Amino acid sequence: MATPDVRVRGPFITGTGYRMNVLSGEQILALDRKHLWHPYASLDPQAPLYPVTSAHGCEIVLNDGRRLVDGMASWWSAIHGYNHPDLNRAVTEQIGKMAHVMFGGLTHEPAVRLAETLVSITPAGLERVFLADSGSVSVEVAIKMALQYQLSRGNPTKTRLLSLRHAYHGDTLGAMSVCDPVTGMHHLFRSLLPEQLFVEAPSTGFHQEWDERCLNALKDTFYRHHNEIAAFIVEPIVQGAGGMRFYHPEYLRAARALCDEYNVLLIADEIATGFGRTGRMFASQHAGISPDIMCVGKALTGGYMTLAATLCNNKVASGICDGEAGLFMHGPTFMGNPLACAVANASINLLQTTKWQHDVQSIERQLTSELAPLRDLSSVKDVRVLGAIGVVELREPVDMKKVVPQLVELGVWLRPFGRLLYTMPPYVIRAEQLIRITSAMRALCEKHCA
Ligand code: PLP
């Protein structure tokens, strides 16, 4: 094998000018079908798949030149749209300094700035930041924090997590164990998954009148099982991938009080809801509560690259470090990646210096006025809108193989699942782009009418 021609000059390394040849759309598809897995996919060669060449603002450009209005913000992360000059600049400036350096024993400006900013914008009391590689890993970290905390505080029986039915917290094993047991396919991994406790999801919707009975199952579970429970993990206000359900803030306030009463930690998984998606910077702020541990990810880097963080309060941090182990036992290779931290700083700075609340409110108003009339269609069971989230729940599940190409034909990128057709667009989407998305959603619902 030829050794690459890399010469060292002083502190600089000159590369070989290596360039790859450009692949055609057909070549990309053929190689993809031959070698790659996609998320939650079989090896079905008929599954719809589209090569993308670039993305700008709220548009995704396909290899054949078609431009799709993006209603997904790349799984809810690209809140400022694609190819944003400020975010591009943050990455290119940082890459000229260092793309990565290990975080054990070393630190750097992008990481400390990010930690300081996260502490200042998250609910009061969250003071300590653990940088993780992805949302699921940050949930693993949160679970480990809770277990180490209870152990070091002399509560060895508190080893289980309490979670909600319809929850989704990620795909790694610990995170999966707190996902809905049915839709999370626990039966496939039973031999490895810890058995957690589940309670029915809150029944009072975000916009409904609060009904105290909504708390009965939760109160009963705390009363009967508190000696076993290390932490209660929730997606605040919006249960996302487990059903796109919006619940009442009063439920969160009551959960906070129950956790305090029974010495159970409260973990808020804000991976989907964080950074403005529900109309507040963090969904916990709808209830005015502060969790003991909070996970953020997805929009943290404005969708540029993978990064997440687990924040905790001083009670949890010192509880862990004063205990028997004295250390928190986690430390990924790419922890605190400077490129990811630099773009996260730029993304949060954009939120702090632009009118995102106004943008999210406009999206909410438009989604409400354009989606609410779909309730009259026989194929539609419910329509829900909160912040920059619009959900149409159908009566029957959609056939992805048919529906995705129909949506692409209509010039939009949406990825429905089960009976849920939904949009979480970038906050910078223009009204005339959003109407293309809501019109496509209407067209699909009309096709589904008997
Ligand atoms: N938690 C919530 C609430 C999520 O919505 C997700 C992803 O959709 C995750 C955790 C997992 O994050 P990631 O896909 O970055 O591992």
Side-chain angles (χ1 to χ4, degrees), residues 76 134-137 139 168-171 235 240-241 269 271-272 298 306:
W76 329 339
S134 70
S136 300
V137 173
V139 170
Y168 178 77
H169 295 288
D171 290 345
E235 294 155 273
D269 176 349
I271 290 163
K298 285 194 185 282
T306 180

